[in-house]
Amino acid sequence: MELVMNNDEKMNAGIIAATAKSARVNAAAFDSAELRAGPTLGQGLYLIVSGPTPRPGANVRLLPVVGDTEPEYQQIEIAWEARAANDHDDSMGVERYEKSMPLSGLSGKKGIELVGANGTKRFNLTGH
């Protein structure tokens, strides 16, 4: 099962709620989000997100929002942090990021909602 979303196209078509953005100061934008089956049988679904790196050397992370014990859609925010000056990494000059996380145990009653600086995207995981 694979769902592929292009955020810019969806926002232009009015499918993504552009007014619903992350309230984080360090929120990162995304332009692609998809669900993929795990690399081996039985590993469940993974969320794969990519987009422009907010600034050179930024470390982008996918963070589940905690609080509501049984949300309809479990929110996962895209945030970034600056790397320490002495933290040398091969990604220092990279202009794009791609991050993934397993969804096992992270889904709300209906699915997940990815929340970035440029909008949100819901994935319905109930099959309805």
Side-chain angles (χ1 to χ4, degrees):
M1 172 186 186
E2 185 173 318
L3 301 173
V4 179
M5 307 292 159
N6 180 312
N7 198 32
D8 290 335
E9 290 175 8
K10 300 293 183 186
M11 287 183 81
N12 289 338
I15 297 171
I16 293 178
T19 57
K21 298 178 184 179
S22 177
R24 288 179 171 270
V25 174
N26 63 335
F30 67 103
D31 55 21
S32 177
E34 62 187 65
L35 299 179
R36 290 187 192 161
T40 58
L41 186 63
Q43 282 192 319
L45 290 175
Y46 279 71
L47 173 64
I48 317 284
V49 180
S50 63
T53 302
R55 66 182 249 199
N59 181 29
V60 178
R61 300 175 59 194
L62 299 175
L63 304 171
V65 176
V66 294
D68 192 354
T69 56
E70 293 187 40
E72 284 194 1
Y73 289 90
Q74 173 63 50
Q75 288 189 335
I76 299 173
E77 290 190 321
I78 311 165
W80 66 275
E81 60 191 11
R83 293 188 189 274
N86 61 355
D87 186 7
H88 297 289
D89 189 311
D90 292 339
S91 66
M92 292 298 285
V94 176
E95 294 179 10
R96 293 190 55 78
Y97 71 86
E98 181 173 289
K99 296 292 176 176
S100 66
M101 77 181 318
L103 295 180
S104 178
L106 286 179
S107 178
K109 292 177 188 174
K110 293 184 178 180
I112 63 167
E113 180 176 38
L114 182 64
V115 182
N118 60 331
T120 65
K121 173 61 189 157
R122 283 187 175 179
F123 293 91
N124 189 344
L125 301 176
T126 62
H128 295 52

